[in-house]
Amino acid sequence: MDKREIGRGGTRVNPIGLGCMGISAFYGPPMPDAEATKLLHEAIALGVDHFDTAELYMDNEEQLGRALKGKRDQIFLATKFGPLVDWSTGRRLGVDGSEANARRAVEQSLRRLGTDHIDLYYLHRPDASRPIEETVGALKKLVEEGKIRAIGLSEASAENIRRGHAVHPIAAVQTEYSIFTRDVETKVLPALQELGITLVAYSPLGRGMLTGALRAGGDLAQGDFRASNPRFAGDAWAANLALVQAIESVAKARNATSAQVALAWVLASAPNAVVIPGTTKLANLKDNLGAAKVSLSAEDMASLNALAAQVKGQRYDEQGMAILGTSV
Ligand code: ATR
């Protein structure tokens, strides 16, 4: 599959990148350093060139920094700032999109990542306390100073995307987008297509649910945040897995895996999208890269398109939904 650009005229990347969060955070215990480094090196060797992390992902930036030593030039590196957490209690402290916080955060990310520039720097969540123009204005200065190459927004509303884009071109908007989560199609995706902005689709595998590999009621490690995610709650999980069978049927007919169908669906639904599935396993990474060869028929798309309306549970718990603000 051809590479896709990040922002109009921007860097072209493999449409299947790697979301690195799960290597270090939120899906149970972090991977041991040596294993994580091995996986990241294997990913690069297999042609993955877009790596996504964030200040919020605990030790993930440091992990990437160690693994990417000597390989920085081969990859497009994206990270994010904004949400603040009291790590001693785990309490979320809101989102700070101020220039002062952007400057603090970018310096720390550059140090942790062991690089002198970030290819794509996102505001990770909306900061309802200030106009988006202020944050994008601050990021524009970081572009001019060479610390970041492009600006992104994550979970931003169509209105904020337009307003931010008027201050400085927004290269990418990162939002959850998958067969089960299609809110973005109403207003955000049309705005992105009009403005030449790339959609970076996170959780394209529905946090693993769409792959069919997770069976209801078990399979979640200690500390896995999905245990409090409404879609993985008892009855909802069972009901959602029944929908996953429709993905499995398409996969069988296409001689593909469900994960590949889920990724191919995103790439077919939005020609300006790239996906960043997360994985900690080489076999799954290879499986995901195989999605580039899967083409779905109009009938496949129609049967997959019918599923989102039947999904049980919101995509985050209440705290997670609240921080999205009016993102759609
Ligand atoms: P996120 O954006 O949060 O990383 P995601 O990409 O939708 O979410 O899904 C990530 C989950 O899917 C992880 O739990 C990952 O588990 P492993 O680390 O065990 O791989 C799982 N996953 C990723 N690719 C997979 C594949 N091809 N088959 C089965 N599970 C997969």
Side-chain angles (χ1 to χ4, degrees):
M1 184 177 264
D2 288 344
K3 291 196 173 201
R4 294 188 178 184
E5 62 185 21
I6 301 288
R8 198 169 272 157
T11 307
R12 296 176 70 80
V13 298
N14 185 330
I16 302 167
L18 184 63
C20 297
M21 179 187 85
I23 289 175
S24 309
F26 301 119
Y27 282 142
M31 288 179 82
D33 179 49
E35 276 178 42
T37 296
K38 191 160 171 262
L39 181 77
L40 291 163
H41 287 180
E42 280 161 339
I44 295 174
L46 288 166
V48 176
D49 56 7
H50 175 192
F51 291 75
D52 182 88
T53 180
E55 181 176 44
L56 189 65
Y57 302 161
M58 298 183 184
D59 298 328
N60 198 236
E61 288 185 325
E62 271 129 329
Q63 177 66 67
L64 253 69
R66 285 193 296 276
L68 298 176
K69 251 187 211 125
K71 297 181 185 288
R72 174 68 185 92
D73 296 348
Q74 299 173 49
I75 66 148
F76 183 86
L77 186 54
T79 190
K80 325 182 190 75
F81 86 105
L84 299 175
V85 177
D86 175 353
W87 289 112
S88 65
T89 60
R91 207 166 69 86
R92 299 229 177 194
L93 304 175
V95 178
D96 183 350
S98 66
E99 179 170 347
N101 191 43
R103 288 197 175 278
R104 175 205 61 76
V106 80
E107 293 303 336
Q108 293 182 356
S109 288
L110 287 169
R111 183 179 50 72
R112 286 190 291 259
L113 290 164
T115 183
D116 62 359
H117 72 279
I118 291 159
D119 295 302
L120 174 60
Y121 198 49
Y122 296 94
L123 176 66
H124 200 158
R125 286 291 184 269
D127 176 356
S129 73
R130 72 191 78 243
I132 190 67
E133 288 84 352
E134 184 182 330
T135 302
V136 176
L139 295 177
K140 180 180 177 188
K141 290 186 196 167
L142 298 181
V143 172
E144 287 160 1
E145 292 164 24
K147 294 179 196 295
I148 67 175
R149 296 266 164 94
I151 298 175
L153 301 176
S154 183
E155 296 285 2
S157 67
E159 189 199 329
N160 275 351
I161 293 164
R162 288 180 190 284
R163 284 171 43 193
H165 194 71
V167 175
H168 184 278
I170 302 297
V173 167
Q174 182 170 146
T175 293
E176 182 170 353
Y177 186 42
S178 71
I179 292 171
F180 275 13
T181 303
R182 295 174 54 197
D183 335 29
V184 77
E185 290 176 0
T186 320
K187 289 190 193 159
V188 170
L189 196 48
L192 301 185
Q193 284 167 342
E194 178 195 322
L195 300 171
I197 300 173
T198 301
L199 174 67
V200 176
Y202 80 81
S203 295
L205 302 172
R207 306 186 170 79
M209 185 180 279
L210 305 185
T211 68
L214 292 166
R215 303 325 300 186
D219 296 339
L220 296 181
Q222 184 96 20
D224 190 320
F225 94 107
R226 289 172 293 194
S228 63
N229 181 289
R231 290 190 178 168
F232 289 85
D235 289 352
W237 194 353
N240 292 334
L241 276 180
L243 303 176
V244 169
Q245 284 173 10
I247 304 175
E248 284 166 8
S249 314
V250 171
K252 220 171 254 164
R254 296 280 149 225
N255 206 15
T257 64
S258 297
Q260 290 171 340
V261 168
L263 299 176
W265 178 89
V266 173
L267 296 173
S269 297
N272 62 327
V274 298
V275 291
I276 48 166
T279 184
T280 54
K281 299 189 179 75
L282 179 62
N284 287 347
L285 177 73
K286 287 182 175 165
D287 184 33
N288 295 341
L289 291 173
K293 294 208 180 76
V294 174
S295 50
L296 300 172
S297 68
E299 294 78 45
D300 294 335
M301 292 300 282
S303 82
L304 299 169
N305 285 342
L307 300 177
Q310 303 170 63
V311 172
K312 297 269 179 297
Q314 291 192 302
R315 60 192 179 102
Y316 282 109
D317 64 12
E318 271 174 35
Q319 199 188 18
M321 290 306 290
I323 203 179
L324 296 181
T326 52
S327 67
V328 178

